[in-house]
Every structure is written in C-alpha cells, then in structure tokens.
Amino acid sequence: GGKGEIRKVRVVKKRIPAGINHGQIMTYRGEGECGKNGGPNGDLVIMVNVKNHPLFVRKNNFDLYFDVPISFVTAALGGEIWVPTLTDPISFKIPECTQSGTMFKIKGKGVKMLNKDAYGDIYFTVIVQVPSRLSRDQKAQLERFESSLSPSQDEKQRKFKEYTGK
C-alpha cells in the first residue's frame, strides 16, 4: 500500500552569492523531491533571510548607514577616527568645526552588488557626545570657553535667540 517514497531529510549545501537581499528566492532545478511515477525531480526553492546587523543598517540594497560617536574636542578641532567597514576599520579625517549630525560618505565600502564587481557606499553620521559627568574645574573651563565666543561664531544659535527673544 506504499507510494514508493521514503521520507528522509538531507542536507544540501548551496553557495549564497554576496549581495543577495532579504526575501530573494533562489531556485535549484532538479534538486527537490523526486517526481511521481518516475517523473523528474522537483526544484529546491530557498528564500533568503538576511539578519539585521547590530551596527550597520542596509539601505538601497548596497549602502550601509550608521552613527559614529565622537568627542566635542574632535568635532571642534578635527581629528582622525576609525570607521568600521565590513572588512577592516579605516581611518577617516574629521574636519574641524564639524557639527553633530553631519553625514559623511565612504565610496565603495558597502555591500557587494549581486552578480557585479561593484560595491555600495558607507554613510555615517557623527554624533557629538557630551560627557555624562564633569568636574568643577572642567565646568569652569567650559564656562570660560563659552564666554569667549562671539555671536558670529555660532550663526544658528544667534538666529534662534533672535527668534525667541532670549
């Protein structure tokens, strides 16, 4: 009364190409279940599920976005930071007077494009970190620094104060 089939699980190793996207389907002809009454094997269909990365956010399939925390001193004076990539961190020069929220681009360090010899880009936004605790001396130094600034050194803050009248 059998159907001539034996149920068994087999492991099939398949290479997933670099640059494949979440939800894409890969079909391997003739590698599925055996056909009925001696017919040809069916197809093996794989739906790809790409896990989220803890740092990188993938957009436009090939570009990577993320935030990089930097110190106030690095933002004000400029300096070298290390930016993570999919392979190794790379050195990047932050220009002086960089504002928090400024986005930078590194060409060709994103995700490999599927079936092409090209890569997406990395876009990172610098976020200026404010220390969570300051000593009395540090507070005094910052107050002296703020009192030394002229209105022309912070155009946005000056315009905002004009709007609020404060």
Side-chain angles (χ1 to χ4, degrees), residues 2-5 33-41:
K3 296 180 184 175
E5 295 176 5
E33 291 184 4
C34 62
K36 299 273 186 212
N37 299 323
N41 287 356

Side-chain angles (χ1 to χ4, degrees), residues 79-146:
E80 181 181 346
I81 64 169
W82 288 94
V83 177
T85 70
L86 291 173
T87 53
D88 295 316
I90 61 171
S91 173
F92 189 88
K93 175 82 169 117
I94 299 292
E96 67 178 43
C97 299
T98 295
Q99 299 298 312
S100 188
T102 301
M103 183 180 283
F104 295 97
K105 175 182 176 178
I106 301 174
K107 251 183 120 39
K109 290 293 185 178
V111 175
K112 184 179 185 312
M113 295 182 186
L114 188 61
N115 301 323
K116 294 182 182 175
D117 196 23
Y119 291 81
D121 302 322
I122 282 181
Y123 295 88
F124 67 93
T125 303
V126 292
I127 307 298
V128 177
Q129 298 295 294
V130 177
S132 57
R133 286 178 286 163
L134 296 171
S135 69
R136 221 178 288 142
D137 182 50
Q138 290 168 327
K139 288 178 185 178
Q141 289 178 34
L142 285 172
E143 287 168 355
R144 282 195 302 276
F145 170 74
E146 185 172 35

